[in-house]
Amino acid sequence: MPWWGIALILLSALIIFAALHFAEKNKRPFKRALLSMCIGLGSLAAVDLLSPLTGVYIPVSLLSVLTSAIGGLPGVTLLLFLDLIL
């Protein structure tokens, strides 16, 4: 997938999340949506960095990065759960 396709997916998710936050009457919907996406990416990075200590390993691929960016912290939890059962 080209880089602009990935950027388009992430930008679309940001706009959709901002619209959802706007519908919930939040004061700063774009900030909240961007923060949610950054928390998801940060938690994926934390799981990847702590994998030698914990033994839990999620391979960092396009799918896992998009899942953690779009899903946020629940997306990373889903990846951890799938790693546990598979």
Side-chain angles (χ1 to χ4, degrees), residues 14-78:
L14 178 68
I15 290 172
I16 290 170
F17 289 150
L20 290 174
H21 285 297
F22 181 75
E24 293 175 356
K25 309 249 189 246
N26 288 327
K27 291 184 180 181
R28 295 183 176 96
F30 281 103
K31 183 179 178 183
R32 296 265 320 220
L34 187 64
L35 182 66
S36 174
M37 293 175 81
C38 288
I39 287 174
L41 291 172
S43 61
L44 179 68
V47 168
D48 188 49
L49 289 175
L50 294 175
S51 64
L53 298 173
T54 61
V56 177
Y57 177 70
I58 298 176
V60 178
S61 65
L62 179 62
L63 180 64
S64 64
V65 169
L66 287 177
T67 302
S68 64
I70 293 172
L73 192 57
V76 176
T77 306
L78 174 71

